[in-house]
Amino acid sequence: MAGSQRRDSPAGLVREVHLAAGGSLHKVSGWWIPFLHTVFASAAFLGALVIGWKLHYYKIVKNEHYGYPHEWFPSVSATIGDRYPGRNVFQILIALTAPPRLLLHIFWYVLTARAAPKRAKALFWIGFLRTWTCAGWVYVTSGDDHDVHDVMMIAYMLLTIPYMTLLVNISDKSLFAHSARKLALNRQRRKWVCMLFFGAIPPMIYFFLNHKVYKIAGAYTTYAFFEWALIVFDVMFDALAMVEFKALDLSILPAKSDEQRD
């Protein structure tokens, strides 16, 4: 069935461009969705770290108990939320991460709903809530409201448990696949990243308590390394979707005319 697109000519007249049956105006590989998510998320955190390190190093490594040289590496919260212009650069780049992140949730549902409808629906809503809580600790910084920032970050980490678990379980049930072997291999990679993420949480809590309760010098720097590790593993986990999404093409198709619809 032929489709058509209407567009204005330089003279202001309207002409039709007819497309062959099944043709599309533009086609984009789904691979770009997790790729752009990875690029923007990585740029946001790395950009804030580099700017903070260059402009405010001694301020962002200082905490309520110690400063440099006892503490010499900044936490994620201090890096992304305490100082201009690092905070602003981070928030702009992390905002650019939102569209591909939401598209990730939508198309994971599309790819897995037929094989596992209930789990696919649960994954979508958990992913959506997880994105919302991410915005909570990103845009409400520890300097704005420490309690809200911490509550949102804890909620984000708690939602990460079912999010990663569900995605590991259903990622190999993708509706489209170039290779079943690649899906199985990528599922194993997700398991490893998932284990690394959750494995970093106990020592992070341990060193945070050493800093907060026992006030041990240098404990916050060690805590910061584990906190940054969680960011790396989190971004890496979603980056693995490039394997599954490579089998997905997104096309822009012309709408049917009224006569064709009838």
Side-chain angles (χ1 to χ4, degrees):
M1 185 179 295
S4 65
Q5 177 197 20
R6 300 177 65 89
R7 66 183 183 188
D8 292 333
S9 69
L13 301 175
V14 177
R15 61 177 179 170
E16 292 185 349
V17 177
H18 293 279
L19 299 175
S24 64
L25 301 180
H26 196 60
K27 183 182 292 185
V28 179
S29 171
W31 175 88
W32 283 98
I33 296 172
F35 176 77
L36 290 175
H37 178 271
T38 304
V39 169
F40 288 137
S42 301
F45 285 101
L46 287 176
L49 180 60
V50 170
I51 292 171
W53 195 281
K54 290 288 187 181
L55 300 181
H56 312 291
Y57 175 74
Y58 294 103
K59 293 178 180 178
I60 62 175
V61 299
K62 185 178 180 181
N63 55 60
E64 66 268 36
H65 302 310
Y66 299 98
Y68 182 84
H70 300 291
E71 308 289 2
W72 57 272
F73 199 83
S75 67
V76 173
S77 297
T79 301
I80 68 174
D82 283 359
R83 303 287 171 179
Y84 170 88
R87 167 179 176 167
N88 308 81
V89 170
F90 172 78
Q91 290 184 344
I92 290 170
L93 288 171
I94 212 68
L96 294 175
T97 309
R101 189 181 185 94
L102 292 173
L103 287 175
L104 270 175
H105 300 325
I106 291 170
F107 285 109
W108 267 125
Y109 176 79
V110 171
L111 291 174
T112 58
R114 181 173 296 181
K118 291 183 179 179
R119 285 180 289 173
K121 188 177 292 185
L123 178 66
F124 173 81
W125 286 112
I126 290 170
F128 180 82
L129 288 173
R130 187 169 171 268
T131 300
W132 182 76
T133 57
C134 177
W137 60 264
V138 162
Y139 291 102
V140 181
T141 67
S142 56
D144 296 330
D145 191 315
H146 202 280
D147 292 337
V148 172
H149 177 81
D150 286 351
V151 167
M152 286 294 187
M153 185 172 283
I154 292 169
Y156 179 84
M157 292 179 65
L158 290 175
L159 287 168
T160 299
I161 297 173
Y163 175 76
M164 287 190 172
T165 303
L166 280 168
L167 195 45
V168 166
N169 287 333
I170 67 174
S171 60
D172 61 341
K173 295 177 175 58
S174 175
L175 182 63
F176 307 120
H178 288 153
S179 168
R181 179 177 174 276
K182 287 183 178 179
L183 289 185
L185 182 60
N186 211 39
R187 185 170 183 263
Q188 290 301 315
R189 295 193 191 105
R190 279 197 179 84
K191 284 183 178 180
W192 280 107
V193 176
C194 186
M195 288 189 288
L196 288 170
F197 183 93
F198 294 117
I201 294 176
M204 184 185 73
I205 295 173
Y206 171 78
F207 285 105
F208 180 78
L209 292 175
N210 279 345
H211 156 74
K212 197 73 174 179
V213 179
Y214 304 110
K215 301 178 183 178
I216 297 175
Y220 201 69
T221 291
T222 308
Y223 158 82
F225 280 117
F226 285 102
E227 190 180 28
W228 279 102
L230 291 183
I231 298 297
V232 172
F233 299 145
D234 193 350
V235 174
M236 189 185 301
F237 186 84
D238 283 322
L240 290 171
M242 282 185 261
V243 173
E244 289 85 5
F245 279 54
K246 193 174 183 180
L248 175 70
D249 280 337
L250 308 178
S251 298
I252 298 175
L253 300 173
K256 291 182 178 180
S257 66
D258 292 337
E259 292 82 0
Q260 290 171 327
R261 287 171 183 165
D262 293 338

